[in-house]
Amino acid sequence: MALTLYWYPKCGTCRKAKRWLDEHGIEVQTVHLVDEPLTKEELARLHRQSGLPLKKFFNTSGMKYRELGLKDKLNGASEEEMLEWLASDGMLVKRPILTGGERVVVGFREQEYESFFAGRLSAER
């Protein structure tokens, strides 16, 4: 399974996720979300595969999110508008995003990563 980690290297949560992957010997291709922002199409695909509400893809603690006043705009926004906002600036995207093709994990919580790799990690032990 080819894995991709969409991240921002200066983000502490992203570094924790990368460290967890490295410690478990899991190789990933990294994509810098600011230097190589996701397109609307890529975001739509990740959203579908994640099964999460699109609002979960927003970095709600980021300065850009607050500057644009998105907290007040999201409830009335269409999916198209939300995808446009997310694609307009990689700093608006919650990170990291880990995908192995069909599965997607947004953010980093150790338990979710362990679940994502459950078969693989138990096979290595």
Side-chain angles (χ1 to χ4, degrees):
M1 145 170 77
L3 297 168
T4 303
L5 182 72
Y6 297 94
W7 75 326
Y8 179 59
K10 293 181 181 178
C11 164
T13 304
C14 293
R15 289 193 308 268
K16 284 180 191 174
K18 181 72 168 79
R19 185 174 29 248
W20 188 94
L21 293 164
D22 290 344
E23 287 170 359
H24 289 84
I26 298 167
E27 291 184 30
V28 294
Q29 173 188 351
T30 58
V31 177
H32 192 298
L33 275 171
V34 177
D35 292 348
E36 301 175 56
L38 291 160
T39 65
K40 277 175 37 179
E41 294 76 20
E42 290 168 325
L43 286 158
R45 177 181 49 79
L46 290 168
H47 167 241
R48 278 191 312 276
Q49 292 170 335
S50 74
L52 296 170
L54 190 52
K55 291 178 184 179
K56 295 285 187 184
F57 278 76
F58 281 88
N59 176 14
T60 58
S61 61
M63 285 190 333
K64 192 72 167 182
Y65 181 85
R66 290 191 298 273
E67 282 174 17
L68 296 174
L70 292 180
K71 178 182 180 184
D72 300 323
K73 296 178 182 177
L74 281 183
N75 283 336
S78 69
E79 186 172 302
E80 184 70 18
E81 287 174 306
M82 287 191 262
L83 288 169
E84 284 182 23
W85 287 326
L86 288 167
S88 72
D89 189 327
M91 293 302 280
L92 287 174
V93 179
K94 182 166 179 81
R95 52 195 183 257
I97 299 174
L98 176 68
T99 182
E102 293 302 313
R103 296 191 56 205
V104 174
V105 178
V106 179
F108 173 69
R109 284 181 295 286
E110 195 168 324
Q111 289 176 319
E112 276 192 67
Y113 272 47
E114 287 172 359
S115 173
F116 187 92
F117 294 105
R120 182 178 179 162
L121 292 177
S122 58
E124 292 175 0
R125 291 182 181 154

